[in-house]
Amino acid sequence: MILRTSEYYYGIDPGAKGAVACVTADGRFLSVEDLPQTDEEWIDLLQIVYNRARDYCTLESVHALPNQSTVAGFTFGKNVGKAELLAENLSSAEAPLLVTPQKWKKYYKLDKDKHKSVELAREMFPSAEELLMYSKDGRAEALLIAEYGRRYFKGLL
């Protein structure tokens, strides 16, 4: 993950294929990475971002699905909690912005089809195209969430 002292905007998609992305103050692609899969990887990531240059972060506000098993819901909740901790550590200018999938997808005129999210992210951030694939759609969604947050914090929404 690229962290600098300049103004950056992070977006986090905490889902099963979740990712964290970063765009610059002028909306250019900077980075995108899959979220860690193990507790050890989460600890490593949080140690990297703790007390480092931090800026603005937007986190997708999600909830467990009613038809999920207890184990799946519990695992999902743990991962969301880790993503919330990451968002807190990436936000120094203001508290993290929480945005529902319905709200940010409506802004971009997207529906539940994640392929459309990948296509839009490729169109908006051509320099990230090779990293944005259908099998890892969380990367595209994290990038769109980061850009949504950038526009929100800059008063462009």
Side-chain angles (χ1 to χ4, degrees), residues 68-143:
Q68 280 184 317
S69 71
T70 304
V71 172
F74 187 74
T75 301
F76 179 76
K78 282 176 53 178
N79 287 338
V80 170
K82 292 171 187 174
E84 288 172 350
L85 182 60
L86 178 60
E88 287 289 337
N89 278 285
L90 289 171
S91 297
S92 63
E94 289 192 33
L97 172 64
L98 300 177
V99 62
T100 64
Q102 295 83 4
K103 187 168 186 173
W104 73 261
K105 287 182 179 192
K106 181 179 179 182
Y107 174 77
Y108 289 118
K109 298 178 175 73
L110 295 170
D111 54 28
K112 293 182 180 185
D113 182 354
K114 294 189 179 273
H115 285 89
K116 291 180 182 176
S117 294
V118 173
E119 293 300 324
L120 179 60
R122 286 176 176 170
E123 182 182 311
M124 291 175 64
F125 303 99
S127 63
E129 185 173 2
E130 66 184 46
L131 300 171
L132 304 175
M133 54 199 79
Y134 298 123
S135 63
K136 295 192 177 266
D137 54 66
R139 293 176 181 176
E141 296 207 339
L143 197 48

